[in-house]
Amino acid sequence: MSLKEHIDLQRLPQHVAIIMDGNGRWAKKQGRPRIFGHRNGVKAVREVSEAAAELGVEYLTLYAFSTENWNRPQLEITALMALLVETIRKEVSTLMDNNIRLSAIGDLQQLPGKTYAALQEGIDITKENDRMTLTLALNYSSRWEIVEAAKEAARAAQLGKIKMDDLDAATFAEFLATSTPDPELLIRTSGEHRISNFLLWQIAYAELYFTPVFWPEFRKKHFYEAIIDYQHRERRFGKISEQIV
Ligand code: FPP
């Protein structure tokens, strides 16, 4: 029985989020520049997108660039932004072939013009696709998102569109950048056990899965392993075992 056949397709997470980590260390291990790691990370992005869509996962969100990543050496930032443009342009036809819709969250207006334009073009071309939504978190951080949502909610209250006292978790969530259901599974590669300002609100009940595999080496089988692990967890949402059907 193959690894994939161990997956119960009736109990798939609807939304998987991934912190792609370890590109730099993977490159360094072989005496290559960090961008070599990012370039090889693109293969993992392709594999995982394919694996998720083939299984029937409806939403896949990838942390591609955080607001803190601007602190990296300028050379790496420039190369990463160029790689994003190249990858989005090159992969649009694969997204179309696989009926995948491209989406993005983050402070996108602050991205370099070419990256922003390529992203918008990819989003526009794929907007009618409905098999899976692939969301890139770009110039994203969760605290930024929550602060922006708080400002929006305050503005809505000021304009009389909502009543301050009616604001609860569900209505607040409508002001967040994400319009997807919350991820049930969050994967982080490269052996780091951190969330790094990613989807803090949305992962309230997500299962966390950490793997030592560096992102450029992450393949379909690693994704299947994460899903199988998830399917062995008992999700209690604050209840006790006996209350779970
Ligand atoms: C983390 O590794 C990776 C990134 C910050 C960038 C991820 C980008 C790609 C995989 C390329 C293009 C992606 C898309 C979605 C088209 P790191 O640099 O933090 O590695 P380290 O922790 O070993 O230094």
Side-chain angles (χ1 to χ4, degrees):
M1 208 169 162
S2 76
L3 201 56
K4 195 176 173 186
E5 286 164 336
H6 281 89
I7 296 174
D8 177 354
L9 296 178
Q10 304 308 314
R11 291 173 46 246
L12 278 180
Q14 191 184 10
H15 183 176
V16 179
I18 307 185
I19 302 174
M20 311 180 284
D21 195 16
N23 293 353
R25 277 166 286 157
W26 179 82
K28 194 175 173 191
K29 226 173 49 172
Q30 16 207 329
R32 306 292 297 264
R34 292 177 58 83
I35 190 66
F36 181 71
H38 298 316
R39 287 203 154 273
N40 280 274
V42 174
K43 167 112 175 104
V45 172
R46 198 178 302 123
E47 282 250 335
V48 166
S49 306
E50 230 177 73
E54 280 164 8
L55 282 176
V57 169
E58 289 172 54
Y59 302 93
L60 180 68
T61 300
L62 305 176
Y63 205 2
F65 195 85
S66 78
T67 50
E68 287 84 18
N69 286 154
W70 296 112
N71 298 322
R72 294 190 170 200
Q74 189 54 46
L75 199 67
E76 180 174 348
I77 295 172
T78 308
L80 249 176
M81 290 298 147
L83 180 62
L84 276 164
V85 175
E86 182 189 321
T87 307
I88 294 167
R89 295 229 168 103
K90 222 192 281 171
E91 299 297 336
V92 156
S93 57
T94 320
L95 294 176
M96 291 308 289
D97 290 346
N98 290 287
N99 194 11
I100 298 173
R101 187 168 78 94
L102 183 67
S103 172
I105 49 168
D107 194 357
L108 307 176
Q109 314 276 354
Q110 303 304 321
L111 291 170
K114 278 186 185 163
T115 310
Y116 182 76
L119 188 64
Q120 287 306 329
E121 196 179 279
I123 290 172
D124 200 50
I125 295 172
T126 61
K127 67 174 187 279
E128 305 292 344
N129 295 345
D130 58 7
R131 185 183 181 196
M132 185 179 85
T133 300
L134 171 65
T135 303
L136 302 182
L138 276 169
N139 195 19
Y140 173 88
S141 85
S142 205
R143 287 181 174 178
W144 165 82
E145 181 190 26
I146 293 169
V147 169
E148 288 304 308
K151 286 195 224 164
E152 281 299 315
R155 238 172 257 136
Q158 229 169 22
L159 294 170
K161 291 185 182 163
I162 57 161
K163 285 203 198 106
M164 195 70 90
D165 289 335
D166 290 346
L167 196 65
D168 57 13
T171 42
F172 183 75
E174 287 172 20
F175 293 99
L176 294 169
T178 43
S179 51
T180 46
D182 290 345
E184 297 98 326
L185 174 63
L186 171 71
I187 300 172
R188 183 173 189 146
T189 59
S190 92
E192 301 292 350
H193 294 189
R194 275 193 303 279
I195 307 300
S196 300
N197 217 346
F198 188 45
L199 301 178
L200 297 177
W201 175 282
Q202 297 85 345
I203 58 163
Y205 287 101
E207 296 296 328
L208 308 182
Y209 179 85
F210 300 101
T211 167
V213 177
F214 286 138
W215 181 250
E217 285 175 346
F218 198 85
R219 293 292 173 267
K220 285 186 181 182
K221 67 169 182 159
H222 301 113
F223 187 73
Y224 299 151
E225 278 166 8
I227 303 278
I228 292 165
D229 189 274
Y230 162 83
Q231 293 189 331
H232 284 101
R233 313 254 185 115
E234 184 186 62
R235 308 191 73 219
R236 289 197 295 275
F237 302 99
K239 296 182 181 171
I240 65 167
S241 257
E242 287 70 21
Q243 292 176 296
I244 311 293
V245 191

